[in-house]
Amino acid sequence: MPLDAGMPLYTPDDIMRGTKPGGKVVIYDDDHYYMGGVLAELLVQEGCDVTIITPSAYLSDWTVNTLEQHAIHKKLAGMGVEIILNHGVAEIAQDHVKANCVYTDAIRNCACEAVVMVASKLENNGVYLDLKSREDEWADAGIKSVKLIGDANAPGPIAWATYAGHRYARELDGDDIGDALPFRREITELARD
């Protein structure tokens, strides 16, 4: 998307490190879980006027699965957050964001002084790559295998990283099962019919 260098742009990592925008802020939430809503709440509490834009039909869409979506939307709307659903971001200009409808591509301008992008994250696999490059030293150090898991493989919610660590511990030094399920599923006779 076109991006004007004059518009201050932030990520969730910037905000967690204490570098926060002020004034009118647009949050573009293409993550669809909790982060966009959490940042909107935080910025409102810090005095910002917040608009959150998401291409999804629901704010924090994934939280429909955790039964939190209704409460999140209600709380943010009650705090005065403007919620724009079914819109992407076509352009970030110097003083506004051009949001485009995912169905009609109609443009809606949202004035702002800063933008927070809650979108794709990159893996952090430097330690893994370093260890792989030194594979010839593993045997001397007593290392049998090194596996890439969790956020080093693909950033995601904390629950996914916890599951990846748990699964790795259960399968440590075992046979590689590939994409097979690491647990048994009990299927009743009725379900098989």
Side-chain angles (χ1 to χ4, degrees):
M1 71 183 75
L3 171 63
D4 190 300
M7 175 64 77
L9 193 61
Y10 297 84
T11 67
D13 290 338
D14 294 328
I15 294 171
M16 297 305 163
R17 281 192 294 267
T19 305
K20 296 176 187 156
K24 291 183 71 66
V25 178
V26 166
I27 297 174
Y28 177 56
D29 184 8
D30 198 22
D31 179 58
H32 310 291
Y33 197 34
Y34 61 87
M35 187 59 70
V38 167
L39 294 178
E41 183 176 346
L42 173 70
L43 293 175
V44 167
Q45 290 172 349
E46 301 224 348
C48 295
D49 179 5
V50 177
T51 299
I52 189 166
I53 301 171
T54 180
S56 179
Y58 297 100
L59 178 66
S60 301
D61 193 12
W62 178 257
T63 62
V64 168
N65 300 313
T66 59
L67 305 177
E68 300 166 289
Q69 193 282 325
H70 176 79
I72 292 168
H73 191 120
K74 182 178 179 180
K75 181 171 187 175
L76 291 178
M79 294 176 81
V81 173
E82 182 180 2
I83 299 167
I84 302 175
L85 305 173
N86 298 315
H87 280 71
V89 171
E91 180 180 342
I92 298 175
Q94 186 172 8
D95 61 353
H96 67 281
V97 167
K98 290 186 177 185
N100 61 319
C101 175
V102 298
Y103 298 109
T104 66
D105 211 30
I107 297 292
R108 176 177 178 173
N109 290 327
C110 302
C112 61
E113 299 166 63
V115 175
V116 178
M117 298 294 289
V118 183
S120 297
K121 298 172 260 184
L122 299 174
E123 71 276 1
N124 186 355
N125 59 12
V127 172
Y128 172 77
L129 294 174
D130 184 46
L131 286 170
K132 287 296 278 184
S133 73
R134 300 169 53 196
E135 194 166 352
D136 57 337
E137 301 172 30
W138 291 3
D140 292 339
I143 299 171
K144 295 180 182 179
S145 66
V146 173
K147 186 171 181 178
L148 184 63
I149 64 168
D151 282 357
N153 184 34
I158 293 167
W160 296 351
T162 303
Y163 172 75
H166 179 83
R167 179 176 178 181
Y168 177 76
R170 286 188 171 271
E171 297 173 3
L172 182 61
D173 293 333
D175 295 330
D176 185 1
I177 66 169
D179 290 332
L181 293 176
F183 49 85
R184 272 186 46 206
R185 289 184 62 206
E186 293 188 26
I187 301 174
T188 65
E189 292 299 318
L190 182 61
R192 290 185 188 157
D193 294 334

